[in-house]
Amino acid sequence: MKNVKLKIPATVANLVCGFDILGMAVNEPYDEMEIRLLETPEIIIKHKDSFGLPEEPAKNVAGMVLLKIQEHYHLKNGFEVIIHKHIKPGSGLGSSAASAAGAAMGANIVLGNIMSKDEMVHFAMFGEELASGVRHADNIAPCIYGGITLVKSTNPIDIIPLNAPDLFVAAVHPQVEVKTSDSRQILKKNITLKSAVEQWGNIAGLVAGIQKNDFALIGRSLNDVIIEPVRSILIPRFDEIKSKSLQLGALGGGISGSGPSIFMLTEKKETAEKVAGLMKSMYNEINIDNFVYVSKINPAGIEIIEETELD
Ligand code: HSE
């Protein structure tokens, strides 16, 4: 029987203009997860954190992924999972994706590497569906593949791993509640051809900038004319934080996933630290508790910390 300990990165979905298709893994924050294969068929979920997430497998994101894997492979084995989350649920930093992707990768390892990365993405999407009602993979894909990924399609699954530019990420998580389901509900169902053309230009520019390590092109492509104008209303001081971060030298940025976190990309660590300081002070000023993170783009995705064969 095998046991594996994983370090699972937070992720920034959408990357501003690439709604539901682009995402990036970051080094901070991250979750820890330990998975053990059981000889008996039960699925046991335990949390080491204080977020109060459900532990009943069918109501737990990791549990749901494991149930689907168990069913698909007709397993007689079960799993015990110990989750220590540091990525706050509802932060917009891919907390549910970390649980889902960690469960899929952990199960794959203890089962003897029976799945491809795309198969892990497939199972992890059931966890995202449980959390947000939608089977999107823009957080899961970078978590599993590392770096920046393009979800070309989820049916069939077609993930394109892109380059992981040598950039810093400053992010703030203000403690205001924005549910993914609500922030999807408020989006316009129809868009004009004019804004679609503008958005296609930004997405194509961003992908080209990422592949060419052209930081100026990345910066001027981090522009969203469709989603951000609607969602940013839910995030206090969003416009001010964005414009002041750009003045401090950030390349660009915007809402992380469905929010409320905001992220900015920078070339230098010093700039990321200044931006993080600005983000913190702007929320402190209006008495909104917040967490800030400065890290790099994570090129590798989920990391195996320890793998043991148990008797
Ligand atoms: N692409 C998703 C959204 C990410 O923006 O709603 C949130 O999980």
Side-chain angles (χ1 to χ4, degrees):
M1 293 287 111
K2 257 189 168 178
N3 187 63
V4 68
K5 281 187 193 168
L6 303 172
K7 182 173 166 182
I8 311 160
T11 45
V12 172
N14 300 337
L15 282 184
V16 183
C17 51
F19 180 67
D20 278 0
I21 60 167
L22 291 174
M24 159 179 91
V26 296
N27 284 334
E28 299 274 345
Y30 59 85
D31 282 355
E32 294 165 281
M33 186 181 279
E34 194 172 336
I35 298 200
R36 189 156 66 96
L37 192 66
L38 301 175
E39 279 172 359
T40 47
E42 69 265 41
I43 291 175
I44 304 165
I45 310 281
K46 293 177 184 165
H47 284 107
K48 266 188 172 177
D49 48 64
S50 53
F51 295 123
L53 293 170
E55 293 191 337
E56 190 184 318
K59 292 187 179 161
N60 178 280
V61 167
M64 175 55 79
V65 174
L66 297 173
L67 282 169
K68 292 287 178 184
I69 290 173
Q70 199 180 38
E71 182 187 290
H72 179 85
Y73 291 104
H74 308 290
L75 297 178
K76 292 195 176 71
N77 303 86
F79 302 90
E80 183 183 54
V81 190
I82 301 168
I83 306 170
H84 191 168
K85 294 195 77 63
H86 305 282
I87 312 168
K88 268 194 116 179
S91 57
L93 290 167
S95 181
S96 52
S99 294
M105 186 168 282
N108 179 51
I109 295 167
V110 297
L111 289 170
N113 294 308
I114 57 171
M115 296 176 218
S116 67
K117 285 186 174 171
D118 281 359
E119 281 164 339
M120 289 185 246
V121 170
H122 164 77
F123 288 112
M125 283 200 301
F126 289 105
E128 277 290 40
E129 187 176 24
L130 178 70
S132 71
V134 187
R135 301 190 77 229
H136 56 84
D138 48 345
N139 288 104
I140 289 167
C143 208
I144 288 178
Y145 280 83
I148 299 179
T149 51
L150 164 67
V151 180
K152 193 186 160 302
S153 150
T154 52
N155 190 17
I157 292 177
D158 192 355
I159 310 291
I160 318 295
L162 304 175
N163 191 21
D166 192 16
L167 291 172
F168 289 88
V169 187
V172 62
H173 174 204
Q175 304 296 287
V176 291
E177 192 181 2
V178 177
K179 284 195 184 138
T180 298
S181 46
D182 294 341
S183 68
R184 293 183 79 91
Q185 202 68 42
I186 60 168
L187 299 176
K188 289 179 192 155
K189 300 289 173 279
N190 297 299
I191 58 172
T192 62
L193 186 59
K194 183 175 172 289
S195 43
V197 170
E198 213 175 314
Q199 198 85 345
W200 292 327
N202 286 327
I203 296 167
L206 182 55
V207 171
I210 291 165
Q211 293 306 82
K212 290 162 67 154
N213 277 313
D214 183 335
F215 299 155
L217 177 56
I218 290 175
R220 63 180 193 277
S221 304
L222 285 168
N223 186 24
D224 175 3
V225 295
I226 296 171
I227 310 291
E228 184 179 287
V230 182
R231 280 187 170 170
S232 57
I233 297 160
L234 304 173
I235 305 173
R237 303 197 92 169
F238 176 83
D239 292 335
E240 271 174 281
I241 289 177
K242 188 169 175 179
S243 62
K244 288 193 173 155
S245 299
L246 296 176
Q247 281 165 23
L248 285 177
L251 293 168
I255 304 171
S256 177
S258 57
S261 291
I262 302 171
F263 82 100
M264 289 286 152
L265 290 178
T266 71
E267 276 189 73
K268 292 191 187 137
K269 187 173 186 192
E270 200 190 356
T271 316
E273 282 166 349
K274 277 189 201 157
V275 169
L278 163 91
M279 291 164 157
K280 182 154 242 349
S281 65
M282 294 207 46
Y283 281 122
N284 286 349
E285 255 175 41
I286 54 168
N287 298 317
I288 292 183
D289 287 340
N290 59 85
F291 295 98
V292 293
Y293 304 96
V294 171
S295 70
K296 296 205 80 169
I297 297 177
N298 173 321
I302 299 174
E303 195 185 319
I304 300 172
I305 301 296
E306 200 182 303
E307 206 177 334
T308 40
E309 198 81 45
L310 306 168
D311 296 332

